[in-house]
Amino acid sequence: MFLRDYIAAHAPAEPLWDFDITGHLSPPPEEPPRDPRELCGDLTTELVALAANWVKDPCYDMDEPSLKPYENAWNAFWAVRREYTQQARIVKRAIWPWIWADAVLAVRDIGAKEAAHG
């Protein structure tokens, strides 16, 4: 067993608060606009309210054709966000111990170099 393997096997279960693992993730998805008029143009007050309620609880498909671009944008966002969340879980569970091991070994190497020169 290599030292890196040993350190990775003994990494903390959760990433430490000051460790940046976001460099191993794609950027988080951007949320579509909350106001449906930005994607669908002029809408009645009732349609704006329908869209606002749907975003809060999208348990049904909207049957309103004028809100279809809004519904499509949010459905695409949620799909990408699910993928991003899954990727974050993979980083957290599978890659994090190796990030930890590399960081520990880097600190160890810096300390060894300083001791040799100091």
Side-chain angles (χ1 to χ4, degrees):
M1 177 181 276
F2 294 104
L3 182 57
R4 182 174 184 253
D5 297 332
Y6 178 83
I7 294 169
H10 291 85
E14 297 289 325
L16 302 178
W17 65 271
D18 58 342
F19 257 82
D20 183 20
I21 64 170
T22 57
H24 299 274
L25 294 171
S26 60
E30 245 184 80
E31 195 172 281
R34 291 277 175 174
D35 187 348
R37 292 171 288 205
E38 291 184 39
L39 295 173
C40 303
D42 283 338
L43 297 171
T44 65
T45 306
E46 292 81 17
L47 288 177
V48 171
L50 173 69
N53 289 333
W54 178 81
V55 166
K56 291 177 191 171
D57 184 18
C59 63
Y60 58 90
D61 292 333
M62 282 194 284
D63 292 330
E64 181 56 49
S66 60
L67 290 174
K68 204 62 172 166
Y70 187 71
E71 180 182 13
N72 291 342
W74 277 97
N75 285 333
F77 165 73
W78 287 321
V80 171
R81 188 175 71 180
R82 277 190 299 274
E83 188 177 308
Y84 180 82
T85 302
Q86 182 63 25
Q87 184 183 19
R89 283 188 192 119
I90 290 169
V91 167
K92 188 174 182 181
R93 298 289 181 233
I95 299 173
W96 154 248
W98 302 105
I99 296 170
W100 170 259
D102 291 342
V104 169
L105 290 173
V107 169
R108 179 179 173 255
D109 291 344
I110 290 170
K113 287 178 186 176
E114 288 175 357
H117 295 293

